[in-house]
Amino acid sequence: MTKKAPRKAVLGRAVTAAVATALGCAGLVALPSAASAAAGDLTVQYHTGSTGSDQAEPWLKVRNSGSTSVALSGVKVRYYFKADTASATYRFACSWAVKGCGNVTGTFGTLAKPTATADRYLEIGFTSGAGSLAAGADTGDLQLRFYRSDWQSLNQNDDYSFGAAQTSYANWSKVTAQLDGALVWGTAPTGNDPGDPGDPGDPGTPGGSLFDDFNYSAYNDPKIAAHGWTVRSNSGGPGVPGATWAPDKVTFPISGGNAVMNLETSTSGTGESTKQTEVLTKALKFRNGTYAARVKFSDAPKSGPDGDHLVQTFFTINDLKAPMADDYAEYDFEYLPNGGWGEPSNILYTTSWETYNPDPWQAVNQHTESRQSYAGWHDLVVTIDNSSIRYYVDGQVFGTHDAAYLPERPMSINFNQWLIDLAGQSSTSPRAYDQQVDYVLHVKDQVLTPAQVAAKVAAYRSAGTTFEDTVPGA
């Protein structure tokens, strides 16, 4: 797999958004009692919109009972239920919402500790478009529903969060609410704790995880291939025509007490002198879930004159089977320390791709950018569920992209550093740039907060685990 030719991230044509939600395998779990968050408290009210057998209709209101405004993008509400069969899958729909159904997300997960009345949950979230909830205000109606994918009857009477007698809104403690990852309302099924970052971080959670601390001796360490990685040497784009992808420029020094992967890119101003670097997974088996890496971007070269149009990356991708094929997918963090693609100086892009045509160039994507320096270490997280793609930088939401750009097929995980062109400077003096990666993490079918990512990485390191891959093949 190689990344496609360089481009400016722009929308090429309109795309109809279609949200197709299906059962996830998340193992995120919940606190046995309500707790207070520093930023404020939440209360969840519930009434059932239907007691019928074809679909469940949990209607909800979320109220800010604290004293400060709350960003709804940090709120997660869970409704717990018992699957009718072990193999049953479910779909989510929003019938109507005061905040707008387009700003309401719904994903399904599996409890780590099933009980007699709950082994699944529906997690409700909000996009940034939902705005904030002022102190004392509520969201208004969230008229939600879910049903079996095969439209077989479902039994709500054995569902933990269901209340047949709740025909008008009232506080309902059998639905939980989290604010920025901390539980602030409700009682989860016994033994399950959505506010505890340690539980989703445990190795071996349902769905599988990939973790790599990049503890290798050199680019040709046999463990690299054994662990599913390829250090690229084949020719082709992206980058400067005539450039070489040089495996020996990938090294594994110690930084801050941890082994890191160092990608070096160098040039003397010609294509033949340009050495670029890329490391990617051999398998295309990663789709929904959480992707995270700690990456060190560089504004200045480690040697020689500055100014080249460099791209430093962390991304997922699959292959474009035909121009404008709609099953293509790519999700990028791309840092340009010296600009490029028409930008005059440093800029960080996050881009979610639906498809593209390489010639003539046409792109269908959604992007977010920030024009400032990102030199130094940064925690990068992207989460993909059945309703949206969300990018985080250093624990803060950087961009939220729409359901139209969700992946249809599994992808690889990639890091590379390359030159867009040689127009940034005319010097023929040798120069070299470094990008470093501390670790990479993927958790299949689970949407983790940045805090939960940090806890999971800490748990691996505390246990002395430098590599794990329990993600099944596609």
Side-chain angles (χ1 to χ4, degrees), residues 8-25:
K8 181 76 163 63
V10 293
L11 286 174
R13 61 175 170 84
V15 180
T16 301
V19 181
T21 52
L23 174 67
C25 300

Side-chain angles (χ1 to χ4, degrees), residues 228-239:
W229 295 100
T230 293
V231 182
R232 184 179 175 184
S233 60
N234 60 296
S235 61

